[in-house]
Structures are given as C-alpha cells and as structure tokens.
Amino acid sequence: MKKVFLSAVLLTVFAITFTSCRDTKKKSEETGEQIEETMDEAGDKAEEAWDDTKDAAEDTWDETKKAADTLKEKGEEVLDSAKSKVKKAGEEVDKAVDDAVQKTVDEVNEKTEQ
C-alpha cells in the first residue's frame, strides 16, 4: 500500500513538473511578447509626448516673440508720446520765460519812463 501511494505521489509530482515546465515556458514566451508590446506602446507614447511637447514649446516661443514685439511697439509709442509731451512742455516753459522776460522788460521800461 505504501508503494502504491508513493508511486501515485511520484507520478503526480512528475506530471505537475513536466506540465508546469511547459506551461512556464509558454507563459514566459507570452510574457515576453507582452513586455515587447508594452515597450513598443511606451515608445510610441513617449514619441507622441515628445512631439506634443515640442509643438507646445514652439507655440510658446511664437507667442512670447509676438508679446515681445507688441511690448516693443507699445514702449516705442509711450516713448514717442513722452518725447512729444516733454517737447510741448519745453515750448510752454520757453513761452512762459519769454513772457516773463517781456513783462519784466515792459515794467522796467515803464518805470524808467516815469
């Protein structure tokens, strides 16, 4: 009885071992294929992400350049406006000085005529 039981156990162990090895080999191949597919998909997604990032960077650069150009134009407009206002203020100061000098001359002339 012992021999029959041990023989049955031995046959079961052999059956499991050989079946398990074939299944393991098959599962290993399937796993390898899955890993390869996953790596391909990851590579594709990384490439897509790189393209998206590159496009976004180019768009950002274009927008930054456009904003810089607009800022330059606005700065030039402000500078031109400031120059114009300073020139006008200078002319007004010159006129005021001329008027004050003329008024002073007129008053001096009036005083000397008396």
Side-chain angles (χ1 to χ4, degrees), residues 65-75:
K65 188 174 178 185
K66 188 186 296 183
D69 290 342
T70 301
L71 184 61
K72 180 181 175 186
E73 290 173 10
K74 294 295 181 185

Side-chain angles (χ1 to χ4, degrees), residues 31-46:
T31 303
E33 290 172 5
Q34 289 175 348
I35 290 171
E36 188 176 331
E37 289 174 12
T38 302
M39 293 298 288
D40 288 343
E41 289 175 12
D44 291 344
K45 290 192 186 260

Side-chain angles (χ1 to χ4, degrees), residues 3 8 16 20 28 34 48 52 60 68-69 77 83 89 91 93 98 102 107 109:
K3 288 182 181 181
I16 290 173
S20 178
S28 294
Q34 289 175 348
E48 288 175 17
D52 291 346
T60 301
D69 290 342
E77 289 174 10
K83 284 180 184 178
E91 290 171 356
V93 167
D98 288 343
Q102 186 62 42
E107 287 178 5
N109 285 339

Side-chain angles (χ1 to χ4, degrees), residues 11 14 17 19-20 26 35 43 50 52 55 67 71-72 74 91-92 103 110-111 114:
L11 285 175
F14 281 135
T17 302
T19 303
S20 178
K26 185 177 179 182
I35 290 171
W50 174 254
D52 291 346
D55 292 343
L71 184 61
K72 180 181 175 186
K74 294 295 181 185
E91 290 171 356
E92 290 175 2
K103 185 176 179 182
E110 278 182 26
K111 298 274 181 177
Q114 293 179 354

Side-chain angles (χ1 to χ4, degrees), residues 70-89:
T70 301
L71 184 61
K72 180 181 175 186
E73 290 173 10
K74 294 295 181 185
E76 289 172 353
E77 289 174 10
V78 168
L79 187 58
D80 290 343
S81 175
K83 284 180 184 178
S84 173
K85 288 178 182 178
V86 167
K87 184 177 180 182
K88 184 177 178 182

